[in-house]
Amino acid sequence: MQNGQLPAVAGSPVKKALIVDDEPLIRQQVAKALADYGFDELYEAADGSQAVALAALHKPLLTVMDVTMPVMDGITAADKMNRNPCGAIVLLTGNTDSETVSKAHDAGVHQYLMKPFKEDQLKITIDLAIHQFIEISNLRDEVAALKENLETRKLVDRAKGLLIKQGLSEPEAHRKMQKLAMNKRKSLKEVAEAILLMEG
């Protein structure tokens, strides 16, 4: 990904961003940088509670959020937003003490930027945050796929075991399941589940 250019995100033709800060001037500064960066739709919130609601509604690719705000702080909001992650989160902070950094990390924040900041600094931080979010999302998808494959393999092995007990050899049992899958246009997992259900 090149600096200052949004990556192509599958299924998201409109690039949405959420700006969260109780200071209107900061929101204005961030909005300008995000518009220059290539975001199409910008949403604004003045506290963490509004941010959580807007994130759930609009699913922004990026959230730039202050730490210290009324009603709900940025770290608490980030934690709530990351229960159903939809995009990268950049925290704006006035301090980088180890406790704040540790809490931000635990809440799933991707990057943080010290106030006051320049527009170029924000753009670089956005690049890093979006790149990191995409990497984490890809890893999450890979883990889910591995779990699914493992689950399928266990079911297929159990179903094969039942067919072997009925007198088939292992290659015959496997071929039978593959043939059933083709004929019925089902996955091997679905065929295995059906075999196990009949025996259950």
Side-chain angles (χ1 to χ4, degrees), residues 92-182:
L92 302 176
T93 176
N95 59 57
T96 52
D97 62 276
S98 56
E99 190 184 351
T100 301
V101 172
S102 176
K103 281 181 178 175
H105 181 266
D106 291 345
V109 169
H110 299 93
Q111 292 290 324
Y112 55 88
L113 184 62
M114 281 287 287
K115 284 181 171 182
F117 56 84
K118 293 189 172 78
E119 191 172 314
D120 285 350
Q121 291 173 312
L122 179 59
K123 286 178 180 176
I124 291 166
T125 306
I126 290 167
D127 269 348
L128 292 169
I130 292 175
H131 186 72
Q132 192 180 350
F133 172 74
I134 290 169
E135 278 194 341
I136 290 168
S137 296
N138 289 343
L139 280 173
R140 201 178 281 127
D141 290 346
E142 280 176 31
V143 169
L146 283 170
K147 280 183 179 172
E148 176 70 18
N149 289 342
L150 186 62
E151 188 62 31
T152 297
R153 196 163 167 182
K154 282 180 184 172
L155 284 169
V156 169
D157 284 348
R158 280 175 56 204
K160 258 198 296 189
L162 285 173
L163 294 175
I164 290 165
K165 278 182 187 172
Q166 291 169 11
L168 296 180
S169 68
E170 189 178 346
E172 285 170 342
H174 193 71
R175 274 198 301 275
K176 181 173 181 175
M177 288 178 69
Q178 282 181 322
K179 196 173 176 186
L180 279 167
M182 276 170 45

Side-chain angles (χ1 to χ4, degrees), residues 154-156 158-159 162 191-200:
K154 282 180 184 172
L155 284 169
V156 169
R158 280 175 56 204
L162 285 173
V191 168
E193 284 170 338
I195 290 167
L196 292 168
L197 200 64
M198 283 191 296
E199 289 298 315

Side-chain angles (χ1 to χ4, degrees), residues 26-75:
I26 298 283
R27 292 205 302 270
Q28 199 176 331
Q29 184 187 358
V30 173
K32 183 186 178 304
L34 296 188
D36 290 348
Y37 194 91
F39 282 94
D40 307 306
E41 291 182 14
L42 302 177
Y43 304 95
E44 294 188 17
D47 64 63
S49 181
Q50 289 176 9
V52 172
L54 283 171
L57 186 64
H58 297 293
K59 306 274 187 281
L61 173 63
L62 173 76
T63 298
V64 179
M65 183 157 53
D66 189 22
V67 173
T68 311
M69 292 181 292
V71 186
M72 184 189 291
D73 67 89
I75 291 174

